[in-house]
Amino acid sequence: MMIPHNSIHKILRVSIAFMLAIAVMFSSWERAIAANLPEPPLRAVEGSTEKKGAWYTPPMPKNINERMQGLHASLLPNGKVLIVNGGSVRLSLVSEGIKGKDARKPWLMDNTALFDPSLSDPDPILDDRGNPINRIDYDATPFTKIKSPPTPVKYKGSNEEQINDPFCGGNVHLPNGDVLLVSGSWFPFPAPTPLGTKQTNRYDWKKNKWELAGEMADGHWYPGLLPLANGKIAIFSGVGFNSVLPGNDWGENLKVSTILEVFDPTKPPKNAWQSIDLKNLPNSPYKTLQEDGRSDFIALYPHTYPTKDGRFLITGDSGGTRELPYRKTHNTYFLSIADSKDGLSVKFEPGPKREGWSKYYTTSLPDPNSPDGDILLIGGMEGMNNPNLGPDLPVEGARTSADLERWHVTTCDRSSDPNCSPSKVQGEWKLKENFLGSSPHDRRTTHNAVILPTKQVLVVGGGNYVFYMPVYHPILMTPDRKADQGYRTEWMNPGTEPRLYHNNAILLPDARVLVMGGQGGYAAWDNRNGAINPPVDAIRQVRLDIKAGTADLAEKGQNFFSAETWQPEIFNPPYLFIDGPRPEITKAIEKITYGSQQKIAVSNPTEKASLVLIKLGSVTHGLNFGQRLVDLQFKQSTIGEVNGKSFSFASFTAPTDKHMTPPGYYMMFYVNDLGKPSHAKMVQLSL
């Protein structure tokens, strides 16, 4: 068969145009050999970077008043990190002693910033001239101070002003990438007792602007946050707005809110909320007894994860406060939330009994190597909920742990359960004591577990106790089928800053991990010589040496760390030091719908690789609300070459399970056969 002459010319023109397009596409994203880039000032003191990673310490703002801790952190779709502190843990020193601050003054909570990690990317993407597509300046501070949520506010039906302090509330992403901040404390801790605010705030990441997001039916200090399949957010637990029990003016027995609320981000704030009381529902934790005969409840900052059958599993592991009755139980619960035009309904079912007791100041995550949705609980404090437990305050029966407890997904058995459905998840708990190590120094509280693109997990921050004995070494958990609980562990190079209570860790788009915050005590505004008025001198007017858990001034030489750790660090995992070029996703659609067929272009591909989605992190108190990894099945084209540079295309199907993978922004990483990840492409998974 002969091809007409003009057709041959047409085929050649199309082929040449295609090859040129590919060459342009990939040359603009390839690291140029001639690029003259400064070497990042990395620190690795105990082992090679290839095996134990390395640390980078960003410069802090020169203005002392622009330095901040990092109680709440959320990665934004533009690659920056929103850092919100609220009133932090600052009290007020007066001549008579310690008193709570008047947080109705906005400047007391002017404590919010954006953090730009792209300034310090050690392996930046370069343009066709060999220049970074983003500005690289290791000497520039990555912090930009921005406005904080508005305060004070007036609640419905009241002319009295209430503070709007997000301190120890909850932060979670909305489907459009905005961040919802829920509740906080409307009395600062520890004087007087903290109670949850009803107020919520919304940060618009495109406009860099705060908006009030409406008023809830109750307060939720230390809340649980659940992204739902329909794009709404469920809020429950936490200390309520009027939670002091009768006869306890200082809140020695606080009450956990029994109200579950649902926020609809598509509606105006005054119409965005609906609620339901959980207290008297069948099988509700509030109607279930603990092993000691006392009524159970949903602990503060409950660790809750979606299951394959459309429910959520509440583990009970949590934050804590000494004013709250101590919770000691093996109970877990399945929670179902139905939100339809007929209204909101909630159902509880008993979950499988834990092997271990419930713990406080722990961390948890969905196992990134379990397609069925296993859950991992790591470390924590057992036997009491008072954070002052420490080497100078031993309590009989209380301990901090190095344990790992896995909820392993199983299905129910029809022979023993007449109500069993073939798809109904039951699960069982398996405990591995001393998983992090057998030494007392391996025990951890107030730590974070960060899912990495390689399906590894980085356990970082925290200490042997909440306020004492920081642990500087991260632990890298690498999947290993032969290892107990499916992971082998290895110490990484240590950081330099103590990351005790109120520290955070979050995965960045360049595959590094930002670590910030921490406190070993409480701070105070030192107004004993008169009222403090702005501008504030944070060195002269803020005392950072108030003892942990007390209203006493600390003295040098005691077991004490600063009440606010301002210096952040960034950990570079070992995979960034693997030899060879880094793969990059050079072209990807920014918005995808569930179940759609998609294609990306990749430079420096390998025949064997993985493609994953990781939801943007939104972190506080060891909890990453919504953290999950989706392993995408994909087909890769034959690897080609243009001008000596390799490329390929990868076709994949977007996730279909909205419950396990709720709508919102995800980071897409391509990981080559050596375990070296690309930079992330931001992808919005849309309804």
Side-chain angles (χ1 to χ4, degrees):
M1 177 180 178
M2 295 185 63
I3 301 176
H5 188 70
N6 60 345
S7 296
I8 294 175
H9 278 238
K10 185 176 181 179
I11 292 172
L12 287 174
R13 285 198 303 271
V14 171
S15 299
I16 292 171
F18 175 77
M19 297 301 286
L20 286 174
I22 292 295
V24 170
M25 180 191 302
F26 287 99
S27 64
S28 63
W29 292 88
E30 193 67 40
R31 196 187 234 301
I33 297 176
N36 184 19
L37 292 175
E39 287 295 322
L42 299 180
R43 183 180 68 256
V45 298
E46 292 187 4
S48 68
T49 57
E50 294 83 0
K51 292 184 177 180
K52 295 186 177 294
W55 290 89
Y56 164 72
T57 303
M60 288 191 291
K62 293 181 180 180
N63 184 342
I64 198 76
N65 291 317
E66 295 181 1
R67 300 178 183 182
M68 56 193 61
Q69 187 175 356
L71 299 183
H72 303 268
S74 296
L75 177 65
L76 303 175
N78 58 15
K80 297 181 181 180
V81 179
L82 174 68
I83 301 171
V84 180
N85 298 276
S88 188
V89 286
R90 299 177 181 183
L91 314 177
S92 182
L93 281 174
V94 295
S95 57
E96 294 82 11
I98 304 292
K99 290 186 177 180
K101 62 176 178 283
D102 180 6
R104 290 175 176 82
K105 298 177 180 178
W107 60 270
L108 280 169
M109 290 180 290
D110 186 17
N111 204 7
T112 304
L114 293 177
F115 184 96
D116 186 356
S118 66
L119 293 173
S120 61
D121 188 346
D123 188 27
I125 298 171
L126 307 180
D127 61 22
D128 55 350
R129 295 186 178 182
N131 299 314
I133 62 172
N134 295 314
R135 182 171 70 97
I136 302 297
D137 187 351
Y138 296 113
D139 296 322
T141 178
F143 286 99
T144 301
K145 192 170 183 178
I146 64 172
K147 289 185 177 181
S148 295
T151 190
V153 296
K154 290 182 179 179
Y155 287 153
K156 295 176 184 176
S158 172
N159 291 322
E160 183 181 358
E161 292 184 332
Q162 301 286 353
I163 69 167
N164 179 22
D165 185 355
F167 169 62
C168 288
N171 47 301
V172 69
H173 286 92
L174 301 176
N176 70 345
D178 290 354
V179 178
L180 180 69
L181 265 77
V182 173
S183 194
S185 172
W186 66 274
F187 277 137
F189 182 76
T193 296
L195 298 174
T197 64
K198 298 180 182 180
Q199 188 57 53
T200 60
N201 301 278
R202 180 172 181 164
Y203 176 75
D204 187 322
W205 68 277
K206 291 182 179 178
K207 296 180 180 178
N208 186 23
K209 181 181 178 182
W210 287 101
E211 300 172 350
L212 296 179
E215 183 180 317
M216 297 180 292
D218 196 7
H220 297 275
W221 186 68
Y222 279 50
L225 305 178
L226 293 180
L228 303 180
N230 58 8
K232 299 179 183 181
I233 306 295
I235 296 95
F236 62 110
S237 186
V239 176
F241 185 73
N242 291 304
S243 289
V244 180
L245 294 175
N248 291 279
D249 293 338
W250 283 86
E252 293 179 0
N253 287 289
L254 297 181
K255 292 188 299 182
V256 173
S257 174
T258 63
I259 306 297
L260 182 142
E261 322 212 27
V262 173
F263 175 73
D264 186 344
T266 66
K267 292 184 177 180
K270 65 179 181 179
N271 300 323
W273 292 92
Q274 54 181 326
S275 62
I276 186 172
D277 196 335
L278 309 175
K279 181 170 52 179
N280 294 316
L281 295 180
N283 299 312
S284 165
Y286 306 98
K287 290 179 68 68
T288 304
L289 297 181
Q290 302 180 61
E291 283 80 349
D292 61 4
R294 293 181 298 127
S295 294
D296 203 355
F297 54 88
I298 302 177
L300 306 185
Y301 282 134
H303 293 225
T304 307
Y305 292 97
T307 61
K308 285 281 190 179
D309 56 8
R311 299 179 295 175
F312 296 92
L313 179 68
I314 305 175
T315 69
D317 286 69
S318 62
T321 172
R322 60 175 178 258
E323 288 89 357
L324 192 72
Y326 173 58
R327 181 177 186 272
K328 183 179 182 181
T329 182
H330 297 287
N331 292 340
T332 67
Y333 301 88
F334 286 114
L335 169 68
S336 300
I337 301 174
D339 177 25
S340 67
K341 62 181 181 179
D342 297 326
L344 180 66
S345 64
V346 174
K347 178 182 178 182
F348 284 102
E349 298 169 86
K353 294 285 187 179
R354 293 265 301 276
E355 281 195 30
W357 294 103
S358 54
K359 296 182 176 67
Y360 292 86
Y361 303 107
T362 183
T363 192
S364 66
L365 69 155
D367 184 358
N369 294 281
S370 168
D372 295 323
D374 287 12
I375 297 170
L376 306 177
L377 306 176
I378 304 172
M381 187 171 74
E382 184 180 289
M384 67 180 298
N385 63 347
N386 189 337
N388 297 313
L389 174 69
D392 297 328
L393 184 63
V395 176
E396 185 177 355
R399 70 179 186 113
T400 54
S401 85
D403 301 346
L404 182 146
E405 195 166 4
R406 172 189 289 273
W407 178 65
H408 176 64
V409 175
T410 61
T411 55
C412 59
D413 184 357
R414 277 185 170 174
S415 62
S416 58
D417 182 359
N419 298 317
C420 175
S421 165
S423 61
K424 193 172 183 180
V425 169
Q426 182 62 31
E428 59 182 354
W429 290 94
K430 295 295 183 183
L431 176 67
K432 169 63 176 176
E433 294 183 343
N434 296 325
F435 171 81
L436 296 176
S438 56
S439 165
H441 189 66
D442 294 319
R443 300 170 184 170
R444 294 212 189 203
T445 64
T446 68
H447 47 304
N448 290 269
V450 182
I451 295 176
L452 302 178
T454 51
K455 302 181 190 176
Q456 296 168 295
V457 176
L458 186 73
V459 178
V460 61
N464 295 156
Y465 300 94
V466 175
F467 287 114
Y468 309 96
M469 300 173 66
V471 179
Y472 294 95
H473 293 82
I475 290 179
L476 186 64
M477 296 170 51
T478 300
D480 185 343
R481 293 181 179 179
K482 297 180 180 179
D484 198 352
Q485 294 286 14
Y487 287 93
R488 67 177 187 273
T489 61
E490 184 178 6
W491 276 25
M492 297 289 99
N493 276 311
T496 61
E497 301 297 322
R499 304 295 176 188
L500 293 168
Y501 194 33
H502 286 152
N503 76 91
N504 271 313
I506 196 166
L507 179 68
L508 299 174
D510 54 29
R512 296 180 296 165
V513 177
L514 172 63
V515 182
M516 71 186 101
Q519 70 177 76
Y522 295 99
W525 299 97
D526 196 352
N527 59 356
R528 290 172 295 179
N529 296 321
I532 297 176
N533 296 305
V536 178
D537 186 330
I539 291 296
R540 295 182 180 181
Q541 295 175 310
V542 178
R543 289 291 299 267
L544 299 176
D545 55 353
I546 307 300
K547 282 185 180 179
T550 72
D552 300 325
L553 290 174
E555 300 295 337
K556 291 183 179 180
Q558 295 178 326
N559 186 3
F560 165 78
F561 290 96
S562 173
E564 295 183 16
T565 300
W566 292 337
Q567 178 65 67
E569 298 174 276
I570 301 180
F571 182 67
N572 298 256
Y575 53 55
L576 292 178
F577 303 98
I578 294 174
D579 287 338
R582 188 171 183 173
E584 296 294 357
I585 301 173
T586 62
K587 187 174 180 60
I589 192 168
E590 296 179 357
K591 191 172 185 177
I592 60 178
T593 56
Y594 287 90
S596 61
Q597 302 295 314
Q598 301 294 338
K599 181 182 288 187
I600 62 170
V602 181
S603 68
N604 298 322
T606 54
E607 290 185 2
K608 293 183 178 180
S610 61
L611 187 66
V612 300
L613 294 177
I614 298 181
K615 202 168 190 299
L616 302 194
S618 207
V619 193
T620 190
H621 292 75
L623 275 171
N624 192 332
F625 295 103
Q627 176 176 220
R628 63 205 65 203
L629 178 146
V630 182
D631 192 358
L632 296 173
Q633 301 302 309
F634 69 100
K635 292 183 179 180
Q636 188 168 245
S637 66
T638 302
I639 297 176
E641 190 171 296
V642 176
N643 295 333
K645 299 173 183 178
S646 60
F647 69 90
S648 72
F649 294 98
S651 301
F652 66 93
T653 301
T656 58
D657 191 333
K658 299 173 186 177
H659 178 67
M660 297 295 289
T661 314
Y665 275 89
Y666 292 74
M667 290 183 285
M668 179 183 288
F669 290 96
Y670 178 97
V671 184
N672 70 13
D673 60 357
L674 297 176
K676 194 167 189 174
S678 68
H679 287 77
K681 280 288 187 182
M682 295 292 184
V683 175
Q684 184 183 13
L685 186 55
S686 179
L687 292 170

